[in-house]
Amino acid sequence: MVAEVLNALRPKPGGRYADGTLGGAGHSAAILTASMPTGWLFGCDRDGVAIEVARERLAKFAGRFEIRHGNFAELTEWIPDASCDGVLLDLGVSSPQLDSPERGFSFQYDGPLDMRMDTQQLLTAADLLNSSSAEELARIFWEFGGERESRRFAKAIICQREQQKFKTTRQLAELIEKISARRAFRGRKTHPATKVFQALRIAVNDEIGSLKRGLNAAAKILKPGGRLAVITFHSLEVRAVKEFGRERTRDYVFAGEVDVPELRQPCKPELKWVTRKAIGPGEVELEENPRSRSAQLRVLEKI
Ligand SMILES: C[S@@+](CC[C@H](N)C(=O)[O-])C[C@H]1O[C@@H](n2cnc3c(N)ncnc32)[C@H](O)[C@@H]1O
């Protein structure tokens, strides 16, 4: 969604931008091109491989960017407060991550059950699967995957791992195929292990926790008038972005958990919505990249 992101962030010469999800640096290259000759980019990614690819792709913009390997939740540790005209978070996994069997993100290939975006992190999907209780696994599958058979799957995993620990994506995908009530999946669009794989990935990488901290960090590093563009891919991300937007665009605060109208205290909102209603990919992009079908862009502006 490069055109849509450029439209939202309006990069200009002299502007300063942060890309918290460099990936292959397609968006970053477009931002640096659109802000020629003096625009500046701070970029990070949790994935060391992506950092190397981005460095190469952005080499022609040398002297106009700083790249770091790290989580966007920590943007404020190296980017000054109120210094950026635009921040981009293009969430989720990248195609190179999904398509590399050795990264273990996909049930479509056999590989180690890894799923770490940052391979310096210790916890892998296999660790989680081999050490969590049935309750914890069921919670992960339900909360992060919306998997209706979460308890059954969790119990079966506990039984199976007593015979043999989980090591590979195929072991997990085959077990789910065998026991799922939706096992007659052949010829259907979604594999029965889709939700379990998504849930494990989100848990291993603490994706929702990072997103909540990343949104706070992004708001801090934006200048007044600066814009935050967030591209989400599933409902949990959408919910976190909407909740964050709702809180920061309010002109009142309330103490405690419940918003009682009589107890509201007026305050100045920190952000305003530019597009609360999601912008989707255009037809050409959908045709070229079917994985973009669930992408939704939302944009907020710092007041
Ligand atoms: C959809 S891709 C981004 C693609 C990128 N916009 C481009 O133009 O190529 C998502 C990237 O975000 C990274 N990522 C996801 N969560 C992250 C986080 N909390 N901190 C830093 N990077 C993260 C992933 O490692 C992946 O490389």
Side-chain angles (χ1 to χ4, degrees):
M1 296 179 74
V2 174
E4 292 81 359
V5 166
L6 290 182
N7 205 18
L9 299 185
R10 306 169 302 183
K12 56 176 193 285
R16 292 167 85 80
Y17 304 92
D19 182 351
T21 49
L22 275 170
H27 285 101
S28 282
I31 290 169
L32 282 164
T33 303
S35 63
M36 295 257 244
T38 50
W40 176 269
L41 181 101
F42 298 104
C44 79
D45 200 291
R46 286 173 99 169
D47 186 335
V49 179
I51 291 294
E52 291 318 310
V53 172
R55 249 185 232 297
E56 228 168 85
R57 174 122 191 225
L58 299 181
K60 62 179 178 205
F61 302 103
R64 293 181 52 210
F65 64 85
E66 180 181 349
I67 286 183
R68 293 203 184 181
H69 178 211
N71 192 321
F72 57 58
E74 282 133 30
L75 286 176
T76 51
E77 286 180 15
W78 58 290
I79 303 177
D81 284 2
S83 65
C84 290
D85 297 278
V87 178
L88 170 65
L89 301 179
D90 178 12
L91 304 171
V93 270
S94 64
S95 293
Q97 286 167 338
L98 271 176
D99 296 337
S100 305
E102 72 278 10
R103 301 296 299 268
F105 283 101
S106 173
F107 50 77
Q108 285 175 351
Y109 313 102
D110 193 18
L113 201 46
D114 188 318
M115 299 195 191
R116 292 168 300 169
M117 287 183 184
D118 182 351
T119 53
Q120 289 178 2
Q121 174 183 309
L122 294 178
L123 182 81
T124 65
D127 295 335
L128 201 63
L129 218 58
N130 290 323
S131 66
S132 305
S133 64
E135 293 73 30
E136 181 60 5
L137 286 176
R139 185 193 66 79
I140 290 172
F141 299 156
W142 172 247
E143 255 181 44
F144 298 147
E147 174 53 68
R148 283 201 247 150
E149 297 185 84
S150 57
R151 283 168 196 269
R152 234 156 64 71
F153 289 175
K155 273 195 202 142
I157 286 166
I158 304 284
C159 280
Q160 174 101 349
R161 83 185 185 200
E162 277 165 16
Q163 319 293 321
Q164 193 185 17
K165 294 267 184 224
F166 282 90
K167 283 196 185 131
T168 67
T169 50
R170 179 144 304 154
Q171 264 178 296
L172 177 60
E174 282 181 356
L175 173 69
I176 303 288
E177 273 172 35
K178 208 164 69 187
I179 63 170
S180 172
R182 286 164 287 156
R183 62 182 170 274
F185 71 94
R186 284 181 187 83
R188 292 170 60 169
K189 271 195 187 143
T190 45
H191 187 284
T194 305
K195 291 177 176 177
V196 164
F197 270 68
Q198 172 188 301
L200 274 177
R201 189 202 92 203
I202 292 175
V204 166
N205 296 292
D206 181 25
E207 290 182 32
I208 303 304
S210 291
L211 173 56
K212 288 181 179 170
R213 291 188 289 134
L215 291 168
N216 287 331
K220 272 208 178 126
I221 62 172
L222 276 177
K223 287 178 188 166
R227 287 183 169 188
L228 167 61
V230 190
I231 304 175
T232 56
F233 288 88
H234 58 76
S235 59
L236 292 177
E237 292 169 347
V238 171
R239 196 191 305 158
V241 173
K242 282 188 176 170
E243 246 173 54
F244 168 79
R246 222 181 357 258
E247 268 173 30
R248 301 300 178 98
T249 55
R250 270 190 199 129
D251 57 2
Y252 63 88
V253 285
F254 56 91
E257 296 286 302
V258 188
D259 177 7
V260 181
E262 292 74 25
L263 300 179
R264 289 177 182 170
Q265 296 288 328
C267 75
K268 270 196 175 163
E270 186 187 2
L271 302 170
K272 67 177 182 191
W273 285 107
V274 178
T275 54
R276 191 201 315 245
K277 197 167 172 298
I279 301 168
E283 266 170 43
V284 178
E285 178 158 10
L286 274 173
E287 215 160 280
E288 283 172 1
N289 176 17
R291 278 182 187 156
S292 70
R293 69 187 173 276
S294 39
Q296 297 189 355
L297 170 68
R298 288 182 173 80
V299 186
L300 286 148
E301 187 174 301
K302 184 134 168 195
I303 298 174

